[in-house]
Amino acid sequence: MDPISSLGEVDEKVMKLLASDAVTNFSFQGMKRSLKLHQEKLSRSLNRLVATGLVWRADGGYAITKKGMRMVGSSAPGAQPVVVATSFLPHDVDAYAAPAALKGRWFNGARWLGSSPSNLGTDLKWVSDDGETQIRVSIRERMLDVSLASVW
């Protein structure tokens, strides 16, 4: 029996989303939108998962623990992002200050999901209003990449 299937349906969905990018701190509202869950169901699930040590409350959101990753194993969704745009940052934009200015912001059709450090920079993530698509903006030195991935 797959260990993750021993969780309830909502807990399993939350774990799979968090495991889809184990270094990201996912915001509550972003998870609610991505998973299409009522806030009370999500809150109860997160409280259970934190209490069991599978998830931890991080600055700006929630992340999966090593124990949680061991439980999920290879059952996490694996949609590969597709890079849709690459650009140099304008010279007057500070590559280190830009992620802080964008964190938590909403854009037309895209709601804040979370962020994670990456090699040489930061990955910022949003989810589409319908919860179907993740938008990732990777800022590394003077480069910016925008990629899209299906959530499920």
Side-chain angles (χ1 to χ4, degrees), residues 66-129:
K66 288 181 183 179
K67 178 181 175 183
M69 281 303 292
R70 284 191 302 272
M71 176 182 247
V72 173
S74 62
S75 62
Q80 293 297 317
V82 175
V83 176
V84 295
T86 299
S87 179
F88 286 103
L89 288 174
H91 293 290
D92 60 341
V93 173
D94 181 345
Y96 299 103
L102 293 171
K103 282 183 183 178
R105 303 263 327 241
W106 289 18
F107 299 96
N108 188 25
R111 305 295 181 238
W112 179 248
L113 182 58
S115 67
S116 57
S118 65
N119 302 344
L120 310 175
T122 303
D123 286 343
L124 306 166
K125 296 179 181 135
W126 289 265
V127 64
S128 60
D129 282 339

Side-chain angles (χ1 to χ4, degrees), residues 10 24 33 39 45 53-54 60 81 90 106 116 144 146 148 150:
V10 173
T24 294
R33 203 166 288 105
Q39 66 187 26
S45 174
L54 299 173
W106 289 18
S116 57
L144 178 133
V146 178
L148 303 175
S150 177

Side-chain angles (χ1 to χ4, degrees), residues 10 14 27-29 31-33 35 37-47:
V10 173
V14 170
S27 74
F28 182 88
Q29 292 297 327
M31 287 190 297
K32 183 179 97 170
R33 203 166 288 105
L35 299 172
L37 291 172
H38 186 275
Q39 66 187 26
E40 192 172 314
K41 280 188 176 187
L42 179 58
S43 180
R44 287 180 182 165
S45 174
L46 286 168
N47 287 336

